[in-house]
Amino acid sequence: MKRSIRLVLPLVAFGSLSACGDSPETLFASARENFAAENYQEARVKVAAALQEKPRDAAMLALLAETHLRLGDPDGAEGAIARLERAGGRNTARMKAEAALLRQNPKRALELLGDDASPEGWRVRAESLLALGEDEGARDAYEKGMAQGGDIRLAASFARYLLVNENLVRAARLLKRMQQLGPNSYETLVMSGDLASAQGRDEEAARAYRKAIDAFPDRAAPMLALARHYDGIGKLDEASRLVEQAAEVAPNDTEVDQMRIQLMSEKGEWEQIRLALQARESELDAGSPLSMTYGEALLRLGHAEQARLLFRRAVLVLPGNPYARLMLGEAQLATGDAQGAWATLAPLAASTLAQPEVIERAAQAGRAVGAPEAEALQARLDPTRIRETMALVEQGEGALAGRRWATAVTVYERLLARGEDGEVLRRLALASSGLGDAAAAIRHADRAVSLDRRNADYLYVAGAVRLVAGQDLPEARRLLEAAALIDPRNAEIARELRKAKAAAG
């Protein structure tokens, strides 16, 4: 969960509200209306103003605490809860538990929650269990909460869990329940977009996100989601406008920052990227998206040696990342290290799925060192040949994204016929698993691992397809543990490893 930036208003702002002549009761009633409409910033301002006149009003303090929780502000929530308890308020355990969860302390959240069986309690319990890697317990909590009637936030949290785990059918059923509970709520509008996006209904997703933005202009998430949609279809200017709009709402949000820099890179605005990131260079994690985009900006601006150092670190952290390896190879070429560039780029270019720029850079490095393979690489760049290959690659990617498993299998089998290729095998394993052909999925995934035992993606898929099939669970766990050691920051690997540990016992 993200912690939102607290909006600190001077006391004169609260005084001006009170000075308008509104009584504490009127302000409190208005705050409750704002809260019900999910306008939490306004609700917080008004209830805080009401509390200036009635500082020990338990109902007002409870609303203030809940508002801080909705804003993702554990500091403010805990302060309001302490005031509420001093004023004689009770039943604060669930609020304390939610604040603990916001502080990323799920064990403490569960302790505080006790046997709370409210919809809010089931949601906090499920999210705490998820944070602890106990997926089965979390799902049980979600199911029990929904069986008792649930509420919009519980349903939204459960639906998001199902989306992450690609159970789109059940997520769609939950969305229908959300549309009954709150058809115009923020949670329902955003989930409508997220589900449509996951199902490949891009235009419907865009409409849902636009509706959420119009209804809740103070939320950054749907702006970013729509910006990603526009980015995917090449509407970079529209995407950039949405990101700038999101930056006004959430100026310190890391996702907003990353999306802005990503769009600048797609536009080739390298000098702007350098200026934006150079003061933060020492703070950028090796292999992070911002670090690698900064490295590319330096490379494009002629600072090849500095770029080479950044991408060398990125490859050490993410040895299977093709972008990091391509950029390292380019930087090596630019610094005169043709031998190093050939060693870096040749394995990338050997893949049937290699993009033209990868093949071209590898051929350049190969020619510089006199590698006999350079001629064959150059032949692959024949316009007719490369166009046919890229058409197949695009068809396969589209089939995977659209979950058209049979088509994906057909395409990747055709590509595999051109030669043994770990990335083709990985994708073929995913498609076979989607078709329910566990034996083929495991066979293809294991072949990919045999080609590169240090590739976290190959290890991950080999473990995941076993987990999906419920077969050879100890081996699934071993493979996923190996993947996690290579790529410890990968959230998908971590999630599947938690499942494997639970399944294997």
Side-chain angles (χ1 to χ4, degrees), residues 21-298:
D22 289 336
S23 68
E25 290 76 17
T26 299
L27 286 168
F28 182 42
S30 181
R32 284 186 295 184
E33 290 176 0
N34 286 133
F35 187 90
E38 300 183 271
N39 186 350
Y40 301 123
Q41 290 284 16
E42 190 68 18
R44 187 188 64 80
V45 169
K46 288 179 180 176
V47 72
L51 280 162
Q52 288 204 327
E53 298 295 326
K54 303 183 71 172
R56 292 181 59 81
D57 187 290
M60 293 181 186
L61 288 167
L63 182 63
L64 180 62
E66 294 285 8
T67 302
H68 280 298
L69 290 172
R70 298 296 178 96
L71 290 169
D73 176 10
D75 294 329
E78 288 168 350
I81 292 166
R83 290 175 63 187
L84 174 59
E85 290 179 333
R86 288 195 297 270
R90 299 180 180 179
N91 301 321
T92 59
R94 193 271 310 161
M95 290 189 285
K96 288 181 175 179
E98 190 162 354
L101 185 57
L102 286 172
R103 291 197 182 281
Q104 299 183 2
N105 190 346
K107 288 185 178 179
R108 180 58 178 159
L110 290 172
E111 291 171 2
L112 289 165
L113 194 61
D115 59 357
D116 188 312
S118 66
E120 296 93 340
W122 285 116
R123 177 181 54 78
V124 173
R125 184 176 293 108
E127 291 178 357
S128 299
L129 289 167
L130 279 180
L132 292 169
E134 299 179 24
D135 280 44
E136 290 301 317
R139 180 158 188 145
D140 183 63
Y142 281 130
E143 296 285 10
K144 287 179 178 175
M146 292 305 300
Q148 294 179 13
D151 69 1
I152 194 71
R153 296 181 75 206
L154 174 66
S157 181
F158 191 10
R160 191 152 307 283
Y161 164 80
L162 293 167
L163 271 187
V164 168
N165 287 277
E166 298 190 344
N167 188 341
L168 304 188
V169 174
R170 182 68 195 282
R173 289 205 299 269
L174 267 176
L175 176 58
K176 288 182 179 178
R177 175 68 176 141
M178 291 170 66
Q179 289 166 339
Q180 294 171 348
L181 291 168
N184 297 312
S185 72
Y186 174 78
E187 292 82 2
T188 299
L189 294 176
V190 172
M191 183 53 62
S192 297
D194 289 346
L195 180 61
S197 179
Q199 293 173 329
R201 296 180 286 114
D202 292 339
E203 292 307 313
E204 290 180 46
R207 285 195 294 272
Y209 292 136
R210 174 56 66 188
K211 189 174 181 181
I213 293 167
D214 292 342
F216 298 95
D218 62 340
R219 312 289 183 98
M223 298 175 193
L224 289 179
L226 186 54
R228 292 188 189 99
H229 168 73
Y230 283 142
D231 179 32
I233 60 176
K235 294 185 176 181
L236 299 186
D237 290 338
E238 291 89 336
S240 295
R241 282 194 290 271
L242 280 162
V243 170
E244 293 309 316
Q245 187 179 347
E248 294 177 5
V249 172
N252 297 309
D253 189 295
T254 56
E255 287 189 41
V256 174
D257 195 24
Q258 289 181 3
M259 188 70 184
R260 180 197 286 119
I261 297 297
Q262 176 187 321
L263 291 170
M264 290 167 64
S265 73
E266 292 176 31
K267 294 178 180 180
E269 297 175 348
W270 305 118
E271 180 62 22
Q272 292 92 319
I273 292 172
R274 186 186 70 81
L275 292 173
L277 296 178
Q278 64 180 353
R280 298 160 52 188
E281 181 177 349
S282 62
E283 304 169 7
L284 300 177
D285 292 334
S288 68
L290 286 181
S291 174
M292 291 199 286
T293 303
Y294 180 55
E296 184 173 0
L298 292 172

